[in-house]
Amino acid sequence: MKTNENRIRIAIQKSGRLSDDSFALLEKCGIKTGRYKGRLFCHSENFPLDLLLVRDDDIPNLILDGVCDLGIVGTNVLNESLLSLGNSGFSCVYEVQKLNFGASRLSIAIPDNCEYYSVSDLNGKSIATTYPYLLREYLKRNGIEAKIVTLTGSVEIAPRLNIADAICDLVSTGVTLEANGLREVDVVFLSYAALVMTTSPLTPAKQTVYNSFKRRLDSVLQAGESKYIMLHAPKSALKAIVKLLPGVENPTIMNLEGNDRAVAVHAVCKESVFWETIDKLKAEGASAILVLPIEKMME
Ligand code: PRP
Ligand code: ZN
């Protein structure tokens, strides 16, 4: 499949954990994706970008083969693919940007009724997984001799079918493990969704498109973490209150009409504003506290 010289092509998971969030992120970047059920190729009408909807496991290879320039994939899949491809993988595909969704963990789980005290209990056991390379690294790191049973799916039923003593699989909410009478005992790899990219140089036209896409993405990601906060602060506690605002460098301080003991503070908090922060602000005497979302942010 030849890529259009002036449009960038991104591989996205067709259906699964990352699909909706991947589409939502592109939409937030102002890119109309033209998504509808069953479609495997989407052509954005308002941005020079095409989407290929595929199995997540295929995304690193599609970039390696030059079919796509970019992809959104879990680092579990990315790292498993890179390890399986060896040098050719590591030199062709790389993680550009951590995204704000898809957090999960690749974990070891065993049947509920089995005992487990430490990782050494895995010695001599068999472990079913679709991630043999990441599992092998983990076992090696911990000096464990165990048999890896590589499956292509439905790993969670392996212990019940006596195919393996334990499993190594992705856990997000934990519902799948629970439903299959398994419990998580150790984490092998922490995963998140990432923007990944080819290491091959893009054509100048594509590079321009990519730069514009990346600027939008950075702005969306930064805005997601940031909040606009407004509050009234007694002048006597102003310093202490400003110090409590997460990631704030230069707040705007304004006088309040008819009140010379307090001021209004407006600031962009570059880190999450937690309830604990709000409680502490109140304890210092802050009032009329408003925390607003920021949609876009350009530095
Ligand atoms: C993973 C894993 C479990 C499920 C766990 O699959 O294989 O089936 O998610 O999620 P839970 O803890 O919320 O129940 P994944 O989304 O990676 O799908 P795939 O293996 O088909 O790519
Ligand atoms: Zn998958």
Side-chain angles (χ1 to χ4, degrees), residues 108-110 116 118-129 131-150 163-168 185-186 188:
I108 303 285
I110 59 166
Y116 184 92
S118 74
V119 62
S120 60
D121 292 342
L122 295 174
N123 262 317
K125 297 279 168 29
S126 55
I127 309 170
T129 191
Y131 298 87
Y133 286 87
L134 284 169
L135 176 58
R136 185 166 303 136
E137 273 213 330
Y138 162 84
L139 294 173
K140 208 170 147 197
R141 213 164 50 234
N142 287 285
I144 304 295
E145 294 278 344
K147 185 179 168 216
I148 298 174
V149 181
T150 305
I163 294 171
D165 302 305
I167 68 163
C168 169
V185 290
D186 203 6
V188 171

Side-chain angles (χ1 to χ4, degrees), residues 25 97-100 216-225:
L25 183 64
Q97 175 73 56
K98 178 178 179 180
L99 302 175
N100 55 1
R216 291 186 185 196
L217 180 67
D218 290 344
S219 145
V220 168
L221 293 176
Q222 207 183 2
E225 282 173 18

Side-chain angles (χ1 to χ4, degrees), residues 13 55-57 76-77 131:
Q13 187 181 29
R55 281 181 57 228
D56 60 344
D57 312 59
N76 53 316
V77 168
Y131 298 87

